[in-house]
């Protein structure tokens, strides 16, 4: 993909140059390197359908094959695209008109000419190559040249600029529309002071707000300084702009702000200033501009309220280690949980920090038994949880650290990693027009509307009750996993799984005082509470897991919600929604699960996911087919590697049986079974197994029967999955079948059903397949002792339609046919309580099955005539 970009703060010259360059590089995408100027943004809003201009976040940088830079020659002016410079496989072309800079781009092709506007240079190339220019394009090109040359009045304007505009006029440019988009009233001194303000400016992030400052002196008086400060704020897309300009003995201090960030009139009032919340100014005598602005910068720290704090983005609780632990112990903990550093804490106080690098070196020198206090870093940089995110940013950069402990008084409250910080700062990197629609944190979003729309009122009430109780106990509670995923997919899910950051047993036991039935598992810090009406809610403490070896059962430790979600299988299952009343309906999505749902992909959370728990192979295939998703490329590669590596073979029979049962209980099990065959799962689990067309057809029929007529079926007592398992085995040799049955360690009753399914199909077809056919009572007598799951299998497995019809007749009607007379009725008619009553009822049932008797009166007459007292 070819990309054309320009400098940050795009003006019309850079936009026109990008559009002109696109005609030289057909198919290339236009992309801003940062925010555009206000006038350009307004222009693009009106003409966005004509020229598609992307923002950096919508470009996949790893797909870029060529970079074209226009109206800029400095690396520092092209924002994120500077990261592509110097890569051998990405050629760079530059078109510009600015003088040399200290960080010029080293490009494969460079076209830099001393003209008034870069658009002039590119227009000349288009005209030379006889590339057609439309009237709309000619208008834009003329606008770009007019703006950068001050309406062809600046001293840097050349005859070539005049010629380019004249040629655009000939090609249909509408010069009358140019004043609509740009302001051309600046005189040379005005333009000079604006340039000086921009050149002498600096940017600071203060408590979440982007502020631009500038201080200059002018030898001549220039009126209308407020307009220049407004332009300064627009140029940098800042929230706040403060500039001081000295003219003779007077210094003019002007401020601009968004009123939701700072009341500028109130801010400048102590100096005697006045104005409006968004715009204010003050005139001072003999004040030096730079110290004045520096003073304003310091005062802003108290005037601007932080939009995000360290406490908002930290991970909590924090895994810590005491100073008397050995190097070996600390090393083992870091390996288990993937940490690169641990705070060293004694009591509540942070003593230091021990890193993986420190431990590696200690091991290298044979100090495995030495206490970590000997190697830890003391005097750790930390931050208060009330401090702003940008203060955290400053500490990271200033001290070149990789993580930042967060304190609450003297107690460690959490920790911020580089990843946490980058995500938190991301919304501020967006252009303001896009930022307004972005969540405050990129991993959170208010989805309360979705809860209200998708859940029943009684479920909403129950969740609010749970959230209110958690809040009273000082805990945070969330619904997690499948219910959150299915909310976004519009699917019904009645399972309420709650995770609390805190102590789940304490939360659960609090309901005993309300007279509710509660069960608690102290070892795993989980439990269940049953609410009136029988609604059961599973509650667990937020925790992390560690697998000692592949396929092992995990060891569980209390931890943060973030780590609790990270231990799950797929990103789409690693989302949570807060049910606390103060944060009701806030989605927490650290790992992009909602984004993956939008892309319709299924993605594991980390590369060892299938190694740690190979049952996720079967679970992933099941979810892929049920939800209509596709395994993400890397996830599919990891899954195949797990299958080839034989890890599925190491699963216990019980765990494998549980996963297969869940797969075969799906509404449509066949797609998952087919996918497992494609990925080689069946061959690994049951070597030698053959799933041919007959087995596939049986699978499909079983799914269709259960989907369409299941309401009339007998109670399978949860064993219908055995019919699918039998379909899987039906075309394999007997030794393979028996080995597969043994592999699952089926109990004797279930083993007998599968064996009967596979071994007696021929006998069933022989008995029920006659053209004249058996009577209903004969069908009933033949099938009554067979398990309903076996009958279900035979109905789908047989290739003879008469046999299928007769078995389905039994499953849907005959199995529940019985006489209206009961034993007590016969006793009332005078028959003694003897075995004779059973014989009478059995005869009545046969006659009802065959349609000879139709009602109670028929039955009474028959009994009195054929079984006299």
């Amino acid at each position: 993909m070819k990309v054309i970009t320009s400098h940050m703060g795009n003006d019309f010259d850079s936009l026109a140059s990008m559009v002109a360059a696109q005609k030289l590089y057909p198919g290339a995408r236009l992309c801003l390197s940062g925010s555009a100027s206000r006038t350009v943004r307004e222009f693009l809003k009106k003409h966005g359908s004509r020229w598609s201009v992307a923002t950096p976040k919508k470009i996949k940088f790893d797909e870029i094959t060529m970079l074209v830079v226009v109206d800029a020659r400095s690396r520092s002016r092209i924002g994120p695209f500077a990261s592509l410079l110097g890569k051998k496989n990405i050629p760079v072309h530059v078109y510009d008109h600015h003088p040399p800079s200290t960080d010029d781009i080293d490009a494969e092709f460079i076209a830099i000419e001393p003209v008034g506007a870069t658009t002039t240079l590119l227009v000349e190339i288009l005209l030379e190559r006889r590339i057609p220019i439309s009237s709309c394009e000619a208008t834009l090109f003329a606008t770009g040249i007019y703006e950068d040359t001050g309406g062809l009045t600046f001293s840097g304007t050349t005859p070539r600029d005049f010629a380019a505009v004249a040629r655009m006029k000939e090609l249909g440019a509408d010069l009358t529309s140019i004043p609509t988009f740009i302001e051309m009233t600046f005189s040379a001194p005005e333009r000079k002071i604006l340039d000086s303000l921009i050149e002498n400016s600096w940017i600071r992030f203060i408590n979440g707000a982007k502020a631009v400052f500038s201080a200059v002196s002018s030898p001549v008086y220039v009126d209308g300084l407020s307009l220049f400060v407004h332009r300064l704020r627009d140029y940098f897309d800042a929230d706040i702009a403060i500039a001081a300009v000295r003219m003779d003995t007077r210094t003019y201090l002007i401020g601009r702000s968004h009123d939701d960030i700072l009341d500028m009139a109130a801010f400048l009032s102590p100096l005697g200033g006045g104005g409006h919340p968004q715009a204010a100014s003050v005139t001072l005598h003999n004040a030096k501009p730079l110290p004045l602005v520096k003073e304003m910068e310091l005062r802003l720290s108290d005037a601007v309220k932080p939009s995000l704090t360290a406490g908002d983005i930290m991970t909590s609780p924090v895994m810590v280690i005491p100073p008397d632990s050995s190097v070996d112990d600390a090393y083992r903990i870091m390996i288990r949980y993937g940490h690169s550093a641990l705070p060293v804490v004694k009591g509540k106080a942070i003593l230091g920090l021990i890193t993986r690098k420190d431990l590696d070196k200690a091991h290298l020198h044979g100090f495995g038994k030495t206490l970590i206090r000997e190697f830890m870093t003391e005097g750790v940089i930390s931050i208060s949880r009330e401090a702003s995110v940008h203060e955290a940013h400053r500490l990271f950069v200033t001290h070149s650290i990789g993580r930042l402990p967060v304190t609450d008084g003297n107690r460690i409250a959490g920790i911020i990693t580089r990843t946490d910080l980058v995500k938190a700062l991301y919304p501020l990197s967006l252009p303001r027009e896009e930022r307004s629609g972005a969540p405050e944190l990129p991993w959170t979003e208010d989805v309360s509307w979705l809860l209200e729309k998708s859940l029943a009122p009684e479920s909403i009430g129950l969740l609010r009750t749970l959230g209110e109780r958690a809040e009273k106990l000082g805990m945070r509670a969330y619904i997690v996993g499948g219910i959150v995923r299915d909310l976004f997919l519009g699917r019904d899910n009645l399972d309420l799984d709650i995770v609390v950051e805190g102590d789940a047993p304490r939360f659960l036991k609090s309901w005993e005082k309300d007279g509710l039935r509660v069960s608690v598992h102290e070892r795993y810090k989980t439990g269940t509470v049953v609410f009136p009406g029988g609604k059961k809610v599973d509650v667990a403490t937020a925790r992390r897991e560690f697998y000692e070896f592949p396929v092992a059962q995990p060891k569980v430790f209390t931890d943060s919600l973030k780590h609790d979600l990270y231990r799950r299988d797929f990103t789409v299952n690693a989302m949570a929604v807060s049910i606390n009343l103060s944060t009701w309906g806030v989605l927490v999505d650290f790992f992009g699960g909602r984004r993956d749902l939008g892309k319709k992909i299924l993605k594991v959370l980390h590369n060892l996911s299938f190694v740690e728990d190979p049952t996720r192979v079967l679970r992933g295939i099941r979810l892929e087919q049920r939800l209509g998703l596709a395994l993400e490329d890397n996830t599919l590669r990891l899954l195949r590697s797990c299958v080839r590596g034989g890890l599925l073979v190491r699963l216990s029979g019980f765990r494998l049986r549980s996963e297969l049962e869940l797969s075969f209980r799906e509404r449509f099990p066949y797609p998952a079974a087919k996918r497992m065959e494609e990925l080689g799962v069946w061959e690994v689990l049951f070597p030698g197994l053959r799933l041919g067309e007959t087995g596939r057809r049986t699978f499909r029929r079983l799914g269709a029967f259960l989907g369409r007529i299941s309401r009339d079926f007998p109670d399978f007592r949860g064993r219908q999955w055995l019919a699918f398992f039998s379909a899987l085995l039906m075309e394999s040799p007997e030794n393979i079948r028996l080995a597969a049955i043994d592999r699952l360690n089926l109990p004797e009753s279930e083993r007998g059903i599968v064996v009967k399914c596979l071994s007696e199909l021929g006998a069933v077809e022989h008995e029920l397949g006659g053209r004249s056919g058996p009577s209903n009572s004969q069908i009933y007598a033949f099938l009554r002792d067979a398990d309903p799951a076996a009958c279900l299998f035979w109905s789908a497995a047989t290739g003879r339609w008469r046999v299928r019809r007769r078995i389905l007749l039994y499953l849907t009607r005959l199995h529940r046919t019985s006489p209206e007379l009961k034993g007590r009725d016969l006793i009332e008619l005078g028959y003694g309580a003897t075995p004779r009553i059973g014989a009478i009822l059995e005869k009545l049932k046969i006659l009802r099955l065959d349609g000879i008797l139709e009602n109670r009166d028929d039955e009474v007459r028959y009994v009195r005539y054929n079984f006299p007292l």
Side-chain angles (χ1 to χ4, degrees):
M1 175 176 61
K2 299 176 184 177
V3 170
I4 301 171
T5 191
S6 185
H7 59 75
M8 295 181 289
N10 288 71
D11 53 22
F12 274 100
D13 185 28
S14 65
L15 175 63
S17 297
M18 289 168 64
V19 172
Q22 191 177 42
K23 299 179 74 64
L24 297 175
Y25 299 86
R29 292 198 65 182
L30 305 183
C31 184
L32 305 176
S33 59
S35 61
S37 68
R38 175 175 52 85
T39 51
V40 169
R41 292 199 304 269
E42 291 173 356
F43 176 87
L44 288 176
K45 285 180 182 178
K46 294 179 181 178
H47 304 280
S49 59
R50 184 169 294 149
W51 294 294
S52 175
V53 183
T55 56
K57 74 167 190 174
K58 296 180 180 177
I59 296 291
K60 295 182 178 179
F61 276 54
D62 56 355
E63 295 180 4
I64 295 177
T65 58
M66 183 178 189
L67 181 66
V68 180
V69 180
V70 298
D71 201 27
R73 63 188 297 173
S74 171
R75 301 171 63 96
S76 61
R77 298 193 70 198
I78 62 172
F81 290 100
S83 63
L84 301 175
L85 302 178
K87 294 188 177 182
K88 294 182 179 179
N89 59 335
I90 301 180
V92 179
H93 292 187
V94 174
Y95 298 83
D96 192 32
H97 72 125
H98 292 99
S101 65
T102 57
D103 59 341
D104 276 357
I105 297 170
D106 184 15
E108 178 185 272
F109 172 81
I110 297 175
I112 300 177
E113 297 285 346
V115 289
T118 304
T119 307
T120 297
L121 173 61
L122 286 158
V123 162
E124 290 174 342
I125 296 173
L126 293 177
L127 294 172
E128 181 183 352
R129 298 186 184 179
R130 297 184 179 181
I131 296 176
I133 298 174
S134 68
S135 60
C136 294
E137 292 167 343
T139 300
L140 176 60
F141 297 160
T143 303
I145 298 171
Y146 261 61
E147 185 192 60
D148 232 37
T149 61
L152 302 174
T153 64
F154 290 170
S155 59
T157 307
T158 69
R160 295 165 62 180
D161 300 300
F162 281 90
V165 172
R167 190 72 179 94
M168 294 302 98
K169 174 64 175 174
E170 294 174 2
L171 292 174
D174 180 11
L175 302 185
T176 62
S177 68
I178 293 178
T180 305
F181 306 124
I182 64 174
E183 297 170 3
M184 301 180 296
T185 58
F186 290 156
S187 65
E190 290 172 334
R191 186 70 190 191
K192 184 175 182 180
I193 201 166
L194 178 58
D195 290 343
S196 296
L197 284 171
I198 293 173
E199 290 170 4
N200 290 281
S201 63
W202 66 94
I203 295 173
R204 294 287 184 272
F205 285 98
I206 299 176
N207 294 343
K210 186 178 182 181
V212 58
F213 305 91
S214 187
V216 300
S217 295
S218 174
V220 297
Y221 178 79
V222 176
D223 195 11
L225 288 174
S226 59
L227 174 61
F228 303 137
V229 178
H230 189 91
R231 282 292 190 92
L232 182 70
R233 192 190 70 178
D234 281 356
Y235 185 86
F236 289 99
D237 193 30
D239 301 305
I240 299 169
I242 295 178
V245 181
R246 183 169 182 171
M247 301 178 187
D248 196 14
T249 61
R250 293 184 178 182
T251 300
Y252 301 90
L253 181 65
I254 304 104
R256 289 287 185 272
S257 72
H258 294 293
D259 55 358
D260 57 339
I261 300 292
L262 175 70
D263 185 336
M264 188 59 71
F267 180 70
L268 293 184
S269 63
L271 298 177
H276 303 283
Q278 302 96 330
S281 63
V282 61
T283 303
L284 304 171
H285 289 277
N286 294 318
K288 295 181 178 180
L290 185 59
L292 180 60
V293 175
K294 288 290 186 182
E295 180 186 346
M296 297 300 102
E297 182 181 347
L298 292 174
R299 284 185 52 206
L300 277 180
S301 298
D302 296 324
V304 178
K305 184 180 179 180
S307 57
L308 273 180
T309 66
D312 293 325
I313 68 168
M314 69 182 183
T315 297
S316 178
V318 189
M319 180 168 284
V320 298
I321 193 166
D324 296 330
S325 301
S326 69
V327 167
D328 284 342
D329 289 340
Y331 196 82
R332 193 175 301 113
I333 290 173
M334 286 191 190
I335 292 295
R336 281 182 174 181
Y337 300 110
H339 289 304
S340 58
L342 289 173
V344 182
V345 175
K346 186 173 184 179
K348 295 181 179 179
I350 304 177
L351 301 183
L353 199 74
I354 189 75
T355 68
R356 175 78 176 274
K357 289 183 179 179
D358 297 330
L359 298 179
D360 285 337
K361 290 181 179 179
H363 263 292
L364 181 64
H365 296 293
F367 292 109
K369 304 302 179 184
T370 306
L371 301 183
I372 61 172
R373 65 166 67 246
E374 303 297 331
F375 303 108
M376 71 181 184
T377 300
E378 295 182 335
V380 177
I381 304 296
S382 62
I383 189 171
S384 167
R385 68 183 303 156
E386 289 81 23
S388 72
V389 167
H390 295 290
E391 175 64 12
H393 186 198
R394 186 185 67 80
L395 291 175
F396 268 94
V397 174
T398 303
H399 299 282
S400 298
I401 53 179
R403 75 266 331 142
L404 186 63
V406 182
T407 58
D408 189 356
N410 294 324
R411 182 180 64 87
I412 184 167
I415 197 163
I416 300 174
T417 66
R418 285 197 188 105
T419 301
D420 296 330
L421 185 67
V422 169
K423 285 185 174 181
L425 293 175
Y426 170 70
L428 296 173
S429 70
L430 297 173
R432 174 158 292 280
E433 63 271 17
E434 295 182 21
R435 196 186 310 167
S436 60
E440 190 175 42
L441 292 170
W443 58 84
T444 65
E445 182 181 350
D446 183 2
V447 296
S448 56
W449 60 272
L450 185 60
L451 295 181
E452 307 291 343
K453 170 187 173 183
S454 306
L455 298 179
E458 54 269 23
S459 296
I460 292 288
L462 179 57
L463 290 178
R464 286 190 179 276
T465 301
L466 290 162
E468 183 180 15
R469 177 64 54 88
E471 201 145 313
K472 286 182 179 178
L473 295 173
M475 303 180 190
R476 286 178 286 189
Y478 305 85
I479 53 172
V480 296
I483 185 173
V484 180
R485 176 200 68 217
D486 290 342
L487 280 173
F488 289 113
L489 292 175
R491 300 171 62 95
D492 292 334
N493 190 326
L494 302 179
D495 296 331
L496 291 183
D497 292 330
I498 306 296
V499 162
V500 296
E501 281 189 307
D503 185 354
R506 178 171 163 243
F507 177 80
L508 287 160
K509 290 175 183 177
S510 73
W511 295 100
E512 291 179 337
K513 300 175 184 177
D514 297 276
L516 301 183
R517 184 158 51 91
V518 172
S519 62
V520 178
H521 307 290
E522 290 284 356
R523 178 181 176 186
Y524 296 107
K525 294 188 179 297
T526 62
T528 302
V529 56
V530 181
F531 286 87
K535 184 61 178 179
K536 185 173 72 171
V537 177
D538 295 322
V539 182
T541 304
R543 61 196 190 272
R544 76 167 73 194
E545 297 174 343
F546 170 70
Y547 295 80
E548 292 279 3
F549 53 86
V551 194
Q553 291 291 339
K555 293 187 176 181
V556 178
F557 299 87
T558 302
D559 213 310
S560 65
L561 176 69
K562 184 176 182 180
H563 286 125
D564 183 274
L565 296 175
Y566 187 63
R567 71 181 176 83
R568 296 171 185 267
D569 46 16
F570 302 97
T571 59
V572 298
N573 290 335
M575 296 182 286
V577 174
S578 173
I579 58 173
N580 280 42
L581 299 188
S582 59
T583 53
W584 171 260
V586 173
L587 169 71
V588 180
D589 181 16
F590 292 108
F591 311 108
R594 185 172 187 186
R595 177 194 62 217
D596 291 342
L597 279 179
K599 294 180 178 178
K600 294 190 176 298
I601 61 173
L602 195 62
K603 181 180 180 181
V604 286
L605 285 160
H606 56 88
N607 287 353
L608 291 179
S609 183
F610 294 123
V611 173
E612 291 180 343
D613 186 0
T615 61
R616 290 171 178 166
V617 170
L618 307 180
R619 207 174 311 148
I621 293 172
R622 189 164 65 241
L623 284 175
E624 179 191 41
Q625 300 306 311
R626 182 204 307 162
L627 304 179
L629 306 178
L631 288 165
E632 176 251 356
D633 290 344
N634 186 59
T635 299
L636 182 59
R637 179 184 64 82
L638 295 170
L639 185 149
R640 290 182 187 276
S641 178
C642 176
V643 173
R644 288 196 304 268
L647 290 175
L648 287 172
V649 177
R650 300 168 64 177
L651 287 172
S652 68
F654 174 78
R655 293 184 70 192
L656 180 57
R657 170 247 162 83
S658 296
E659 288 299 326
L660 288 183
E661 181 176 351
L662 288 172
S663 296
F664 293 152
R665 282 177 178 271
E666 288 286 301
R667 186 177 180 187
F668 299 106
Y670 174 67
K674 180 182 178 183
R675 184 69 161 143
M676 290 184 195
E677 181 187 18
E678 293 171 358
L679 295 172
V681 173
W682 296 134
E683 179 59 32
V684 169
L685 292 177
F686 310 117
L689 181 141
R690 290 201 301 266
L691 179 60
E693 186 52 42
T694 301
R696 296 189 185 96
R697 184 169 58 247
T698 303
F699 253 102
R700 292 193 292 269
R701 283 177 181 162
L702 286 169
F705 292 165
L706 288 171
R708 296 173 187 171
I709 53 179
S710 59
R711 66 179 182 178
D712 297 320
F713 282 168
D715 181 8
F716 291 107
R717 292 173 292 174
R719 290 176 169 175
Q720 62 268 35
W721 77 274
L722 294 172
F724 290 97
F725 184 52
S726 300
L728 180 70
L729 303 178
M730 65 184 298
E731 294 180 274
S732 299
E734 185 176 1
N735 63 318
I736 302 299
R737 296 176 181 178
L738 294 176
I741 295 171
D742 292 340
R743 175 72 176 86
L744 297 190
N745 293 333
L746 295 179
E748 200 60 41
S749 59
E750 292 182 347
R751 182 187 181 94
I753 292 172
V754 176
V755 170
K756 191 177 183 71
C757 283
L758 298 170
S759 62
E760 298 188 13
L761 175 60
V764 171
E765 291 178 328
H766 175 75
E767 187 70 24
L768 302 181
R771 178 170 294 183
S772 57
S775 65
N776 288 351
S777 60
Q778 289 173 320
I779 294 172
Y780 177 84
F782 182 72
L783 296 176
R784 67 186 298 177
D785 295 328
D787 190 277
C791 296
L792 178 65
F793 169 76
W794 292 329
S795 70
T798 182
R800 300 167 65 176
W801 65 269
R802 290 188 178 88
V803 175
R804 182 178 311 110
R805 186 184 65 185
R806 288 160 185 166
I807 297 175
L808 289 176
L809 176 65
Y810 167 77
L811 288 173
T812 56
R813 186 163 65 86
L814 301 184
H815 79 277
R816 49 192 171 87
T817 299
S818 61
E820 292 187 38
L821 290 177
K822 308 301 179 188
R824 62 177 177 274
D825 297 321
L826 293 177
I827 292 174
E828 290 176 0
L829 290 175
Y831 294 90
T834 66
R836 188 184 186 199
I837 286 182
I840 294 173
L841 292 175
E842 184 63 25
K843 184 62 178 177
L844 290 175
K845 182 167 189 171
I846 292 173
L847 295 173
R848 286 299 296 260
L849 286 166
D850 291 335
I852 296 173
L853 302 178
E854 296 182 352
N855 52 49
R856 181 186 176 92
D857 292 339
D858 289 347
E859 292 176 8
V860 171
R861 284 194 294 270
Y862 179 83
V863 170
R864 283 178 172 168
Y865 182 80
N866 292 282
F867 298 95
L869 292 171

